[in-house]
């Protein structure tokens, strides 16, 4: 067989959570690696690909797990030039270009393309290390570097260690008759008893207290039959839990859930896209909720029915709704929606830093074409949207 | 040519003003005639009472909820032993919810020939018609339910009277129904959400229409359609202390409406089982009768008729399209409860109930019905019913007649009550010495009900030309003095003739007759809106298809008798 028909050699293979596209030259091997657990089917890669090598498939079914062994996107390894534009612009960090096995983004290194510029910060001074943002974040992007206490796991750190405080326990030796009750109640107290002896019958000894085990609960003081114990705790002004809460910028998608739910207003998020999303619930057939299931930001919801007692003709809840404040305009919902004109996305700006090259500008223009879904597509097996305006 | 001559009976026919005169009644080919030839079969009625066949204006005798009542109360069959088949009779049983055969035989024994089924869920019309088809002897018709129907709520809310009437006409034709029944207007739809409309001004969830607007709209639609019967209403807030105020508010809605029909009907609103709607007090502790107040209003308003719903002091089965009321009842008495919500249209509930003489509330309920009937000024507008089987089985009509006709009989009941004084104290019945006459009973059971139903001129009297439905009772009004004889005689007709055919001969049922089922076919202007709404509603909300909805005469009815009306004229 002639060399020319053997090289370059293209292949695609699926391995667990990754799909690996490959171009093999005589010496050089280029790969585009898709992480299917991170991919949300937003379709930004397919819009930005300078070679039109990426198409979108069964976004809803794949994301819901109804279709296995298939990814939401598919890349033609022969059309792909392994340039890395998709990798740079994927908001979900799902794509990676590798050359000869090593991560490689020459286009970025040679300053041929900008990257997203966004803010995702937590003001350490305002943050009280509560659990709200980390539970609300739909992407698990909150890094909560805080000791795990016994409230969360049985063998976690003792709760008294969470406070910056001084605790004192004073035993009035005059009153203490070394009865042993306090020590039997609390692990912070021990009794050093002078051994009983027939020579001198009586109860004597001393109470020993370990501050690190005391949580100032006052049980010993209350239980002491002689009122011999006084416990006091002074907490240091502004005491907070130890550790730090931060946002992992690789994972963060700027949905701003954390900012909206933070009780201390400690979070600042600036999104990477400007624009608007509009839901036209009248066109939604209901009973689908694919968009709700696949939204990477949990921004879409099924509105709660009005209780019968308040039910009026015009108070029937819409079939579907979005909280636009939480939306990042990624476009996954439009790609997955099986109906027409229910969801409209209009991106009006992309926040980037770095050289805004002509290539970038032409790609940005494509990203800013407003779109909705359509029912009947021209090509079977791939998502086609309806450009608006 | 069949000819019959009923000779020498004491005839009571309020239609002709005949009050106990000795008269012969001649029958030829199914109708009453002036005279017959000497070849006529002669029935000797001397010493007996002769009346037209009874016409029951309100009774639950056929259809879905009646059958649920039969199904979920096997113990009801123990109260009345099954009678084996005999002669023309099929096996028959059941007490408060008798089988279809027993229903027919008992009505025949009481001299009744026509019975209106009071509440037909439109979607289950086929069930109702199948049971009526299997009920021999008595002529029947059924009233479909409209007061919680989504089409009606929608059209009336928007003031679309033409669409409301076009829809009613379509539904009467589809279900082979007779008139407009309304049960707990709006409240049963609210019950689909677990709620209720307790006054006439409580809006229905989502539909934002009030019971008052529903009732007014249905009266207007009824008259625009020139229907033989008026709106047949069971108002809101049934069975609660203090509800007489709601009842008066409801009855007032009819003020200003005029009857518009060629059937001889004078009322625009028939309020059914009014006894249950005439309660005073605020709780069961201070519960008292407001029967006098309600009857006073009805006496003064000729646009109204009512039936009583007499409590017969029996163990019985309640069944009504008033779903929330039945739930309320099961919460009171903790007996078993069945409920059916019917898509788009209505709802219902069923609960057994024991009206015990030893319970003072039941005693007062018993008093209220009798009090109202005795205070009625015009028995052509106040009828004898028990809302069978809600206040008691229809088989107790003769007992109710006894109570109405005999103060002594009433005093005996009072005396048998555990809390006689308290019961007497809570109504005016004890102070009423009026005793109704057979003439008034005939008004309450045939002349009046036939007129209110739009059968005047055909049923309810013995005028030559009328359908020959005649009952002969072994009761001598000149000599009889024992009230017990009233109950016995009116439970055991000596002869019954229906459409000229002898059904009971010498106290024995000898024929299953030739029963008919009436329905009303009323022509209206076509409404494209209603056509559109029907196809939309069936497509989106019904579990059956529009084409599979209609009750066809051929398959479901025996001897359909269509009353055709042209409401476009
Ligand atoms: S912006 Fe959204 S994705 Fe980023 S950390 Fe906050 S909640 Fe998580």
């Amino acid at each position: 067989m002639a060399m020319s028909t053997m090289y370059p050699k293209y292949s695609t293979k699926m391995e667990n959570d990754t799909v690996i596209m490959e171009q093999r030259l005589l010496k050089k091997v280029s790969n585009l690696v898709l992480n299917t657990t991170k991919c949300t089917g937003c379709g930004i890669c397919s819009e930005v690909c300078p070679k039109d090598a990426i198409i979108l498939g069964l976004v809803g079914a794949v994301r819901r797990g109804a279709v296995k062994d298939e990814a939401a996107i598919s890349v033609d390894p022969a059309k792909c030039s392994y340039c890395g534009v998709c990798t740079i612009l994927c908001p979900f960090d799902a794509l990676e270009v590798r050359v000869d096995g090593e991560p490689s983004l020459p286009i970025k290194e040679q300053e041929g393309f900008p990257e997203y510029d966004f803010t995702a910060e937590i003001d350490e001074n305002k943050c009280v290390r509560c659990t709200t943002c980390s539970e609300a974040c739909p992407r698990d992007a909150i890094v909560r570097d805080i000791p795990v206490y016994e409230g969360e796991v049985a063998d976690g750190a003792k709760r008294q260690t969470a406070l910056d405080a001084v605790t004192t326990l004073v035993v009035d030796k005059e009153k203490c008759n070394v009865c042993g009750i306090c020590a039997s109640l609390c692990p912070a107290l021990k009794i050093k008893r002078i051994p009983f002896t027939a020579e001198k019958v009586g109860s004597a000894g001393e109470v020993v207290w370990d501050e690190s085990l005391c949580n100032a609960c006052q049980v010993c003081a209350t239980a002491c039959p002689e009122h011999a114990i006084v416990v006091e705790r002074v907490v240091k002004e502004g005491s907070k839990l130890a550790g730090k809460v931060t946002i992992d910028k690789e994972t963060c998608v700027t949905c701003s859930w954390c900012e909206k739910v933070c009780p201390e207003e400690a979070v600042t998020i600036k999104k990477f896209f400007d624009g608007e999303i509009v839901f036209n619930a009248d066109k939604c057939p209901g009973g689908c909720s694919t968009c709700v299931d696949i939204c990477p930001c949990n921004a879409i919801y099924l509105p709660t029915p009005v209780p019968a007692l308040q039910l009026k003709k015009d108070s029937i809840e819409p079939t579907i709704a979005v909280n636009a404040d939480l939306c990042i305009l990624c476009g996954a919902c439009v790609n997955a929606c099986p109906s027409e004109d229910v969801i409209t996305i209009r991106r009006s700006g992309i926040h980037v830093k770095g050289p805004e090259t002509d290539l970038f500008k032409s790609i940005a223009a494509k990203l800013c074409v407003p779109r909705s879904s359509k029912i009947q597509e021209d090509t079977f097996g791939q998502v086609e949207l309806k450009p608006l305006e | 040519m069949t000819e019959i001559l009923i000779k020498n009976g004491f005839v009571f026919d309020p239609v002709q003003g005949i009050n106990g005169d000795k008269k012969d009644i001649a029958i030829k080919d199914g109708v009453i005639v002036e005279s017959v030839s000497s070849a006529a079969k002669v029935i000797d009625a001397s010493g007996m009472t002769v009346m037209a066949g009874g016409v029951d204006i309100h009774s639950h005798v056929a259809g879905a909820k009646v059958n649920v009542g039969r199904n979920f109360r096997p113990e009801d069959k123990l109260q009345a032993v099954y009678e084996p088949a005999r002669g023309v009779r099929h096996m028959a049983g059941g007490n408060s919810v008798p089988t279809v055969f027993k229903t027919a035989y008992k009505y025949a024994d009481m001299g009744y020939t026509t019975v209106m089924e009071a509440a037909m869920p439109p979607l289950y019309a086929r069930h109702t018609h199948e049971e009526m088809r299997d009920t021999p002897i008595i002529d029947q018709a059924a009233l479909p339910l409209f007061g919680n129907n989504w089409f009606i709520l929608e059209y009336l809310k928007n003031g679309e009277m033409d669409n409301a009437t076009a829809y009613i006409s379509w539904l009467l034709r589809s279900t082979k129904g007779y008139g407009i029944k309304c049960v707990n207007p709006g409240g049963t739809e609210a019950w689909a959400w677990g709620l209720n409309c307790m006054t006439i001004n409580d809006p229905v969830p989502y539909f934002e229409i009030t019971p008052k607007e529903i009732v007014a709209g249905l009266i207007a639609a009824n008259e625009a359609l020139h229907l033989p019967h008026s709106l047949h209403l069971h108002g809101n807030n049934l069975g609660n202390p203090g509800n007489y105020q709601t009842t008066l508010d409801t009855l007032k809605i009819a003020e200003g409406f005029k009857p518009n029909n060629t059937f001889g009907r004078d009322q625009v609103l028939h309020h059914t089982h009014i006894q249950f709607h005439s309660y005073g007090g605020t709780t069961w502790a201070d519960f008292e009768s407001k029967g006098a107040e309600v009857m006073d209003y009805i006496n003064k308003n000729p646009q109204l008729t009512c039936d009583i719903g007499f409590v017969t002091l029996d163990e019985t089965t309640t069944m009504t399209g008033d779903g929330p009321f039945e739930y309320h009842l099961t919460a009171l008495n903790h007996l078993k409860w069945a409920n059916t919500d019917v898509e788009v249209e209505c709802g219902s509930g069923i609960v057994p109930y024991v009206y015990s003489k030893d319970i003072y509330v039941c005693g007062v309920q018993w008093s209220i019905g009798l009090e109202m009937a005795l205070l009625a000024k015009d028995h052509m507008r106040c009828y004898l019913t028990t809302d069978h089987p809600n206040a008691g089985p229809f088989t107790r009509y003769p007992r109710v007649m006894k109570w109405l006709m005999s103060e002594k009989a009433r005093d005996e009941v009072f005396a048998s009550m555990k809390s006689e004084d308290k019961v007497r104290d809570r109504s005016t019945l004890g102070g009423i010495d009026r005793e109704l006459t057979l003439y008034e009973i005939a008004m309450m059971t045939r002349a009046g009900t036939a007129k209110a139903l739009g059968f005047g001129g055909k049923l309810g009297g013995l005028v030559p030309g009328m359908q020959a439905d005649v009952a002969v009772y072994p009761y001598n009004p000149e000599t009889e003095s024992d009230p017990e004889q009233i109950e016995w005689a009116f439970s055991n007709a000596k002869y019954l003739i229906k459409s000229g055919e002898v059904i009971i001969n010498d106290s024995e049922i000898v024929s299953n007759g030739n029963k008919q089922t009436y329905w009303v076919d009323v022509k209206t202007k076509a409404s494209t809106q209603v056509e559109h709404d029907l196809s939309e509603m069936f497509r989106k909300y019904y579990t059956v298809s529009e084409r599979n909805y209609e009750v066809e005469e051929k398959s479901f009815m025996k001897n359909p008798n269509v009353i055709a009306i042209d409401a476009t004229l």
Side-chain angles (χ1 to χ4, degrees):
Chain A
M1 200 184 282
M3 275 309 202
S4 63
T5 60
M6 284 184 70
Y7 290 96
K9 216 166 139 182
Y10 302 107
S11 67
T12 299
K13 65 172 186 264
M14 199 157 186
E15 266 174 15
N16 301 322
D17 292 339
T18 54
V19 184
I20 302 165
M21 276 57 68
E22 185 168 281
Q23 180 202 58
R24 184 174 284 271
L25 301 175
L26 253 183
K27 285 191 174 154
K28 182 172 159 196
V29 180
S30 303
N31 291 113
L32 179 63
V33 181
L34 170 71
N35 181 330
T36 58
T37 59
K38 289 184 174 175
C39 174
T40 64
C42 75
I44 286 175
C45 55
S46 111
E47 288 167 57
V48 304
C49 175
K51 298 284 180 192
D52 288 332
I54 307 181
I55 58 168
L56 272 163
L58 302 168
V59 175
V62 169
R63 298 300 305 143
R64 285 172 142 169
V67 165
K68 307 254 189 279
D69 305 325
E70 214 172 292
I73 61 165
S74 59
V75 186
D76 183 338
K79 277 192 185 172
C80 175
S81 64
Y82 304 87
C83 69
V85 167
C86 58
T87 302
I88 294 168
L89 289 182
C90 174
F92 304 98
D93 199 25
L95 286 159
E96 188 180 68
V97 178
R98 289 184 199 149
V99 175
D100 295 334
E102 290 302 314
S104 158
L105 275 178
I107 191 169
K108 199 169 148 192
E109 284 147 23
Q110 289 153 25
E111 306 217 323
F113 210 79
E115 62 182 320
Y116 286 123
D117 181 22
F118 65 99
T119 311
E121 273 161 11
I122 297 177
D123 182 337
E124 208 195 324
N125 294 324
K126 287 188 184 167
C127 174
V128 294
R129 292 74 160 127
C130 76
T131 57
T132 315
C133 64
S134 75
E135 280 184 25
C137 175
R139 311 301 311 169
D140 277 336
I142 305 284
V143 184
R144 202 164 169 276
D145 187 13
I146 312 287
V148 181
Y149 293 100
E150 58 187 330
E152 246 171 90
V153 291
D155 59 353
K158 296 284 170 206
R159 52 187 175 280
Q160 56 269 26
T161 64
L163 288 172
D164 196 354
V166 178
T167 309
T168 52
L169 181 138
V170 180
V171 181
D172 184 334
K173 290 210 172 97
E174 297 291 304
K175 289 182 180 170
C176 177
N177 58 17
V178 200
C179 70
I181 289 176
C182 57
S184 78
L185 293 174
C186 178
L189 292 161
K190 294 269 165 326
I191 275 227
K192 244 162 102 194
R193 195 185 280 286
I194 296 167
F196 291 109
T197 158
E199 187 186 351
K200 192 170 175 237
V201 175
S203 174
E206 88 182 283
V207 174
V208 184
W209 171 71
D210 179 350
E211 186 184 353
S212 72
L213 293 176
C214 173
N215 60 28
C217 73
Q218 304 283 354
V219 169
C220 57
T222 316
C224 175
E226 303 301 324
H227 307 296
I229 303 179
V230 175
V231 183
E232 265 167 16
R233 169 183 282 168
V234 183
V235 182
K236 210 175 122 193
E237 190 80 28
S239 165
K240 274 188 199 178
L241 297 193
K244 196 170 168 182
V245 184
T246 52
I247 297 173
D248 172 12
K249 285 194 82 173
E250 297 282 289
T251 320
C252 171
V253 296
T254 70
C255 68
S256 79
W257 261 105
C258 52
E259 185 183 68
K260 305 277 176 324
V261 298
C262 176
E264 303 295 328
E265 294 178 15
V267 187
T268 311
I269 301 290
K270 286 212 179 83
K271 306 211 175 209
F272 30 65
F273 292 130
D274 291 335
E276 63 164 11
I277 182 165
V278 176
F279 271 54
N280 181 357
D282 288 347
K283 298 248 171 115
C284 169
C288 161
S289 70
T290 309
C291 58
V292 176
D293 285 359
I294 60 106
C295 174
C297 301
N298 292 351
I300 307 173
Y301 59 98
L302 301 171
T304 309
V306 177
L309 209 52
Q310 282 114 51
L311 203 55
K312 301 242 172 355
K313 288 229 144 197
D314 58 4
S315 64
I316 297 297
E317 74 282 2
T319 316
I320 196 79
V322 67
N323 184 332
D325 289 348
L326 301 171
C327 170
I328 60 166
L329 302 167
C330 73
C333 53
V334 180
N335 299 334
C337 175
S339 193
E340 191 145 333
D341 293 331
V342 181
I343 311 171
T344 309
I345 278 192
R346 293 169 199 274
R347 299 188 189 107
S348 55
I350 305 163
H351 299 262
V352 289
K353 57 184 177 207
E356 296 196 27
T357 55
D358 287 349
L359 176 63
F360 170 74
K361 282 183 187 144
S362 68
I363 285 170
K366 271 163 98 184
L367 285 173
C368 289
V369 174
R371 81 270 328 264
S372 178
S373 44
K374 64 180 180 184
I375 289 177
Q376 214 164 4
E377 290 144 337
D378 295 330
T379 316
F380 178 79
Q382 76 182 64
V383 172
E384 274 165 26
L385 299 180
K386 193 162 121 180
L388 301 172
E389 284 172 347
Chain B
M1 273 201 223
T2 6
E3 293 185 322
I4 302 172
L5 187 64
I6 302 167
K7 280 182 79 95
N8 279 328
F10 298 102
V11 175
F12 293 87
D13 181 14
V15 178
Q16 302 179 83
I18 301 173
N19 186 3
D21 302 354
K22 251 193 205 155
K23 251 185 81 88
D24 295 350
I25 302 296
I27 297 167
K28 189 180 173 181
D29 295 336
V31 290
I32 311 276
V33 291
E34 297 283 358
S35 61
V36 283
S37 72
S38 54
K41 172 188 160 80
V42 174
I43 289 174
D44 180 11
S46 32
M48 293 190 233
T49 293
V50 177
M51 289 186 184
V55 177
D56 193 342
I57 198 168
H58 186 108
S59 185
H60 299 275
V61 284
K65 75 182 147 14
V66 179
N67 214 42
V68 171
R70 292 188 190 113
N71 280 342
F72 99 146
R73 291 213 65 199
E75 73 278 13
D76 186 62
K77 311 286 191 299
L78 299 175
Q79 291 195 45
V81 179
Y82 259 83
E83 302 155 41
R86 161 164 60 92
V88 301
R89 301 169 62 133
H90 296 251
M91 186 168 79
N95 188 47
S96 66
V97 265
T99 63
V100 290
F101 293 109
K102 183 158 178 185
T103 300
Y105 304 149
K106 283 290 177 187
Y107 266 116
D109 282 339
M110 296 184 338
Y112 273 69
T113 47
T114 308
V115 178
M116 180 62 63
E117 160 53 44
M120 171 164 74
L123 183 63
Y124 299 148
R126 288 176 174 185
H127 186 160
T128 309
H129 281 287
E130 288 185 313
E131 288 196 6
M132 293 200 295
R133 184 190 59 195
D134 293 347
T135 307
I137 304 174
I138 50 175
D139 291 346
Q140 286 180 289
L143 298 173
L145 293 154
F146 284 96
N148 294 281
N149 177 302
W150 291 5
F151 290 88
I152 292 295
L153 300 182
E154 189 82 27
Y155 294 145
L156 294 184
K157 174 70 192 174
N158 300 336
E160 299 166 20
M161 191 47 74
D162 286 349
N163 290 334
T165 51
Y167 172 74
I168 292 168
S169 133
W170 175 87
L171 193 113
L172 289 176
R173 196 173 312 118
S174 297
T175 63
K176 303 296 179 279
Y178 187 79
I180 303 177
K181 175 74 185 293
C182 173
V183 171
N184 187 359
T188 303
E189 170 55 25
W191 177 238
W193 302 92
L195 305 171
N196 196 359
C197 295
M198 300 300 283
T199 77
I200 64 165
N201 297 313
D202 294 356
V204 185
Y206 174 75
F207 290 97
E208 293 184 81
I209 187 173
T210 62
K212 184 178 179 178
E213 293 164 324
I214 297 169
V215 171
L218 288 176
I219 294 176
N222 199 94
E223 300 314 322
L225 288 165
H226 317 317
L227 298 181
H229 186 33
S230 64
L231 171 64
H232 193 114
L233 179 70
H234 151 159
N236 303 87
N237 203 7
L238 177 143
N240 289 320
N243 69 3
Y244 81 105
Q245 203 56 60
T246 314
T247 307
L248 291 174
D249 291 346
T250 306
L251 294 174
K252 281 182 188 147
I253 302 170
E255 284 175 14
F257 285 100
K258 294 222 157 28
N260 186 1
N261 68 98
T262 58
F263 297 89
R265 156 178 67 86
D266 289 333
Q267 91 277 14
V268 295
L269 176 64
H270 176 78
H271 199 302
T272 190
H273 42 66
I274 196 94
Q275 174 274 129
F276 285 116
H277 301 265
S278 303
Y279 296 168
T282 54
T283 66
W284 293 115
D286 62 2
F287 174 59
E288 60 174 357
S289 170
K290 288 287 179 187
E293 280 83 347
V294 174
M295 192 45 76
D296 182 50
Y297 182 83
I298 293 172
N299 282 337
K300 289 181 182 144
N301 284 276
Q303 73 277 15
L304 302 174
T305 57
C306 69
D307 65 80
I308 298 292
F310 293 100
V311 163
T312 63
L313 298 174
D314 283 288
E315 172 180 332
T316 189
T317 313
T318 66
M319 48 179 67
T320 153
D322 193 337
F325 166 75
E326 291 288 351
Y327 179 71
H328 183 65
L329 195 61
T330 193
L332 274 175
N333 72 4
H334 308 297
L335 295 179
K336 56 190 167 183
W337 168 58
N339 180 80
T340 302
D341 180 74
V342 181
E343 59 197 31
V344 180
E345 298 175 349
C346 52
S348 70
I350 304 156
V351 175
Y353 199 83
V354 182
Y355 292 97
S356 163
K357 275 195 293 197
D358 294 339
I359 298 170
Y360 105 89
V361 168
C362 302
V364 177
Q365 290 177 304
W366 170 82
S367 310
I368 295 172
L370 296 171
E371 175 190 21
M372 294 184 82
L374 294 171
L375 292 173
K377 290 221 166 91
D378 178 5
H379 288 95
M380 285 298 281
R381 296 199 288 115
C382 172
Y383 314 126
L384 193 161
T385 62
T386 60
D387 187 19
H388 164 79
N390 286 299
F394 71 81
T395 50
R396 297 297 195 209
Y397 288 0
R399 184 169 289 179
V400 175
M401 292 175 190
K402 170 182 77 181
W403 289 329
L404 290 170
M405 291 172 66
S406 162
E407 193 186 6
K408 177 173 165 244
R410 299 196 290 268
D411 282 340
E412 276 172 19
V413 178
F414 269 131
S416 69
M417 287 177 173
K418 230 183 192 170
S419 340
E420 180 184 358
D421 293 347
K422 200 167 170 190
V423 174
R424 282 184 181 274
D425 189 44
R426 300 294 171 93
S427 85
T428 65
L429 180 65
I432 300 175
D433 58 6
R434 186 176 182 187
E435 294 185 331
L436 296 189
T437 63
L438 281 175
Y439 190 77
E440 284 158 332
I441 294 291
M443 287 175 160
M444 291 183 84
T445 54
R446 37 272 281 167
T449 46
K451 181 176 155 82
L453 285 169
F455 289 125
K458 177 180 161 83
L459 304 178
L462 298 166
V463 188
M466 283 186 164
Q467 182 170 310
D469 293 357
V470 189
V472 179
Y473 297 103
Y475 186 82
N476 188 327
E478 284 186 347
T479 57
E480 214 50 77
S481 59
D482 181 5
E484 293 311 316
Q485 190 62 19
I486 299 168
E487 181 173 347
W488 184 83
F490 284 87
S491 306
N492 294 284
K494 186 86 168 167
Y495 297 96
L496 179 69
I497 291 142
K498 213 212 88 192
S499 299
E501 188 180 349
V502 179
I503 305 293
I504 296 179
N505 187 42
D506 197 11
S507 310
E508 191 63 39
I509 293 177
V510 294
S511 167
N512 282 313
N514 189 16
K515 78 104 44 57
Q516 323 169 61
T517 312
Y518 298 99
W519 68 278
V520 170
D521 189 1
V522 45
K523 195 170 144 199
T524 57
K525 269 183 275 157
S527 163
T528 46
Q529 179 69 43
V530 172
E531 276 166 35
H532 163 270
D533 293 349
L534 280 168
S535 68
E536 176 99 345
M537 209 67 151
F538 274 98
R539 198 166 49 79
K540 281 174 109 169
Y541 298 118
Y542 270 106
T543 52
V544 298
S545 75
E546 189 176 352
R547 280 203 253 162
N548 199 24
Y549 188 81
E550 188 175 347
V551 175
E552 303 107 24
E553 282 190 330
K554 244 206 256 158
S555 333
F556 291 94
M557 303 175 79
K558 193 176 266 178
N559 302 327
N561 187 335
V562 191
I563 295 161
I565 299 167
D566 190 343
T568 61
L569 299 176

